Amino acid sequence: MSKYSIPQFIGVIVSFLVIWLLNDFILVDDCVDHGGVFSYETGKCLLANNEIYTADFTNYLIALYFFIGIIVAVTTSRIIKKIFKIA
């Protein structure tokens, strides 16, 4: 691994972490607010009456995660390059 790809690698890892935390904040907290339990195995929210709850905005989350992932990865990579003065 060259020294030029290390900031990009770190940017991607940070991006994954941000998306993971954002997913917990958006989906899991919304599920708990509606009185359900989020099943990580199935990725669904189970309500007390055994119904599956799906939020209205879940269709747009993939696009949101994509753009946030790109922005966080590029920004983190550039910040690391500036801090360590890598070409």
Side-chain angles (χ1 to χ4, degrees):
M1 185 183 285
S2 72
K3 70 177 183 177
Y4 300 110
S5 62
I6 292 173
Q8 294 170 349
F9 179 73
I10 293 171
V12 169
I13 297 299
V14 170
S15 176
F16 282 138
L17 290 174
V18 167
I19 291 172
W20 181 46
L21 292 173
L22 187 64
N23 185 53
D24 279 349
F25 179 71
I26 292 175
L27 289 180
V28 177
D29 286 349
D30 186 47
C31 176
V32 172
D33 289 343
H34 283 86
V37 177
F38 191 81
S39 172
Y40 285 97
E41 295 168 354
T42 61
K44 297 180 181 177
C45 177
L46 302 173
L47 297 176
N49 57 1
N50 289 332
E51 289 184 16
I52 296 175
Y53 170 75
T54 54
D56 297 333
F57 54 82
T58 55
N59 295 337
Y60 304 107
L61 285 181
I62 298 296
L64 178 69
Y65 292 161
F66 175 76
F67 288 116
I68 288 175
I70 295 290
I71 290 169
V72 169
V74 169
T75 305
T76 304
S77 175
R78 286 185 180 177
I79 289 171
I80 290 172
K81 285 180 183 178
K82 278 187 176 183
I83 289 173
F84 294 109
K85 294 179 179 42
I86 299 174

